[in-house]
Every structure is written in C-alpha cells, then in structure tokens.
Amino acid sequence: MSPPSRVSWEEVCGDCGQSFAVGSAVWRCECGGLLDLHAPVITEPVDPTGPWSLWRYAPVLPPLPEAARVSLGEGLTPLVPAAEGCWWKLDFLQPTLSFKDRGAVVLIAAAAGAGAERVVADSSGNAGTAIAAYAARAGITAEVWVPAGTSAGKLAAMSAHGAIVRVAEGDRAAAAAGAARRADEPGWYYASHVYQPLFVAGVKTVAYEIWEQRGRSAPEVVVVPAGNGTLVLGIDAGFGELVAAGLVARRPRIVAVQAAACAPLAGLEPTGTTVAEGIAIAQPPRGHQVLAAIERSGGVVATVEDPAILDARADLARSGVWVEPTAAAAWAAWRDPTVPARSTATVVVLCGAGLKSPGTGGNLPGADR
Ligand SMILES: [Zn+2]
C-alpha cells in the first residue's frame, strides 16, 4: 500500500490522487475513493530505547503527537516453533486478545492527535473491542455499531470498556451504514479498521516483529486468514518497506486463507455459513488491494472447509495453543498438502484467542470482526 519512493507521509486518494493530512478525520475522498497511506523509506525501523510496546517501531509509524500515543503494551507477541520449517506467530496475545490492537492503538492515537472526543466504529467482535479499549485508554467516547444477533459476550466486552453499543436492525452492512451516518455528523471521528489506512499502518508492525525475531530476516512464506484483508495489507506494507529499505532481499509469499463457504478473494460466490466468522466478508471494500498484495508477493488465496478448520483448531489446542476458528483457518491451510504453504521458513499468524469464540459457532457471510 505504500509506494516507498515517497519522501514524506501522506494520505492519498487511490482514485483521484487528492492528498489529506495524516491522521485527519477524513476517511473517504469526496470522489468516493479509498485513502492509502504513503510512507517514506526508513532504514532503521526500531527505536532501541523506545517503549516496550508497538511504539518500539515508532520510526516507521505515522508521525502522531507523542502525547497522543496511548498504549496498553500491545505488540511484541511470541514467535514459537511449530513444526519443521514452521513457526506460529501468537498474535492473539494482545491486550484485547486479537491482532486488532495493533491497528487500534495507532488509529486511536491519530484520533486523539486530531482532538477527537468521540469515535465511532462498526464491527461485531475483535475490531470493536480493540477500538473500545483504546478509546477508553485515551479518554475518548466510543460508539460501536454491531449487527443484530451479535453474541452477548462480545457486547459485554465492548460495554465493559465503556463503549456505547448500537445494535443495527439488520446485518453487518446495516451496522456499517449506521456507523458511516454517525461519522458524517460533526464531531465524530470514524475509527474504521477498513477505511482508515492508519489501521493497517499499525498492523504492519507484525511484519517488523517477525523480521526482528528471525534475526532480521524475512521468512519465505507467511500464512494469514483473510476477510477484509487487513493482515494481508499489513504484511504487504511491512515487508514491502523492509525490501525498499534494503533490509530484506525479497518479500515473503502471502498465503491468504478464506473459509470455503465465503471466499470472494478466490472468486467464489458465498455458499453458506462458516465457523470462521471473522473472515466471513462477502464484499471486502479493499478486496482489489488485497489481491494485488497477494499477487505482488507471489502468493495465493487458499480456501479451507469448516471441518478442516475445526480439526486444525483442535490440533492447535492439543499443542497448547487455543485460538478462535478464524485463526485456526491459517493452520488448516498449512496442514493441507494441496496448499503451497510449506517451505523451509513459514510463519503462520494466529490472530484471535480461543476465548473469543469458545463454542464452534458460526454466522452468516457478511459478518465481520
Ligand atoms: Zn478522490
């Protein structure tokens, strides 16, 4: 997402080229285009004397006021050996138990830096919880729009952080529409994990961590679940920047994993429900960018069936790692001999904790985290 030849930070409309201040409340160009974040080339991405949190990577993060940089000690998650040539990135070990904290901490810092007193988001789980927690940390009021039928546990987590929870009459798209209406009202900052490019700027730190944990080298393959594709875009941005800075020779191949029942990135029509609710996104707004990132890496979109996801989840749990089905989809892909995920150095990103979804559950395509 970041043509690295740029010398300064800016948010740019991908359609008409108009530029916007980094971290501003603008979340979509007036022409309707999506905003992308352009970043300069940084050859020393780590601040060795910096805080022990995601802000360790402040040199490669958007220039936000220091006073606005809230933190809950996010990031810096373990990379542990899983099998011959394979490592698990335990990215669910974050303050709100999912990788979304990486994006939320940067986005809320931007909102705070812009003087926002109220943020609105739409989600039915991990993203909404992360936004609610970091908004609380920053003393900002959060309103989270969720679809009807959102589980009581997720509502409880968001409410516990003090968020105003609005249940839309309808599906995930209805929740997004409600949030977007609110975002257009004066005084509201749209903390969207899909539209705001600063969210992906936080997520990209997972690439920098993997690089550091591997002794400043890139793996050959990274396997991630993909719904809206923020992890794909983060991996693409992070390793793309490392290549541009001359710190790695080539970016890893991205294996983006979707549930077979909802795999638009594989060119398939949704066919039903899936236990991997976090990646059941029928129409990802940044889908074309996600596909471009996968292609740029020489990677593939892989699909896995629900029984394989549940089997992979059980396999992980018996190895000491309990994740939600969405995260287990990545491990299911690695275990599938027809998926080109294995190499001498593969990292499988496990993005959400098992407590997020204790039962096997499932919901309709179009749901989102
Ligand atoms: Zn535009």
Side-chain angles (χ1 to χ4, degrees):
M1 67 180 266
S2 320
S5 58
R6 302 275 175 158
V7 293
S8 63
W9 292 94
E10 57 179 341
E11 289 188 35
V12 179
C13 171
D15 285 356
C16 75
Q18 187 177 343
S19 72
F20 301 87
V22 171
S24 81
V26 178
W27 57 275
R28 190 173 54 189
C29 183
E30 54 213 25
C31 82
L34 299 172
L35 305 186
D36 299 319
L37 181 66
H38 291 178
V41 175
I42 304 291
T43 53
E44 183 41 78
V46 181
D47 176 1
T49 63
W52 198 242
S53 74
L54 183 130
W55 297 108
R56 173 177 170 78
Y57 303 99
V60 293
L61 293 173
L64 301 169
E66 201 141 334
R69 296 179 191 174
V70 294
S71 179
L72 291 165
E74 61 291 319
L76 313 177
T77 61
L79 183 72
V80 301
E84 182 68 34
C86 182
W87 286 259
W88 291 318
K89 178 67 170 164
L90 305 185
D91 222 40
F92 59 92
L93 294 176
Q94 307 257 7
T96 75
L97 301 179
S98 91
F99 83 99
K100 302 282 193 191
D101 290 350
R102 294 184 185 277
V105 65
V106 173
L107 192 48
I108 292 299
E117 294 177 356
R118 294 177 293 181
V119 299
V120 61
D122 50 285
S123 164
S124 63
N126 292 345
T129 305
I131 291 293
Y134 282 87
R137 182 69 168 166
I140 292 173
T141 299
E143 180 174 288
V144 183
W145 285 73
V146 299
T150 299
S151 77
K154 292 172 182 172
L155 298 177
M158 289 181 253
S159 297
H161 290 306
I164 303 158
V165 179
R166 305 275 187 205
V167 181
E169 289 183 21
D171 60 7
R172 181 64 183 80
R181 276 196 306 275
R182 179 70 86 214
D184 283 338
E185 292 177 13
W188 287 88
Y189 187 104
Y190 192 12
S192 167
H193 58 290
V194 179
Y195 288 101
Q196 290 281 10
L198 264 63
F199 193 91
V200 166
V203 172
K204 78 179 181 187
T205 55
V206 70
Y208 283 97
E209 283 181 27
I210 292 169
W211 168 75
E212 260 202 294
Q213 288 168 312
R214 290 181 41 81
R216 297 200 159 205
S217 73
E220 291 180 15
V221 177
V222 176
V223 186
V224 294
N228 273 313
T230 46
L231 258 177
V232 171
L233 295 174
I235 292 287
D236 175 62
F239 282 109
E241 290 172 8
L242 284 163
V243 170
L247 296 171
V248 302
R250 69 180 71 84
R251 59 179 80 220
R253 283 187 287 124
I254 297 172
V255 175
V257 186
Q258 298 215 286
C262 187
L265 296 174
L268 303 174
E269 286 292 319
T271 57
T273 60
T274 171
V275 294
E277 56 189 5
I279 49 174
I281 309 295
Q283 293 180 306
R286 292 187 185 268
H288 64 288
Q289 293 181 341
V290 175
L291 287 172
I294 295 164
E295 185 179 350
R296 190 157 46 234
S297 78
V300 296
V301 177
T303 60
V304 289
E305 302 281 351
D306 275 14
I309 293 172
L310 294 176
D311 201 37
R313 187 192 198 201
D315 183 54
L316 286 167
R318 286 192 299 267
S319 304
V321 178
W322 196 35
V323 299
E324 64 180 328
T326 298
W331 186 234
W334 186 87
R335 295 171 92 212
D336 184 339
T338 69
V339 176
R342 300 194 187 199
S343 74
T344 55
T346 295
V347 171
V348 178
V349 180
L350 300 175
C351 56
L355 283 169
K356 293 281 191 179
S357 183
T360 51
N363 62 2
L364 294 171
D368 180 9
R369 304 319 315 273

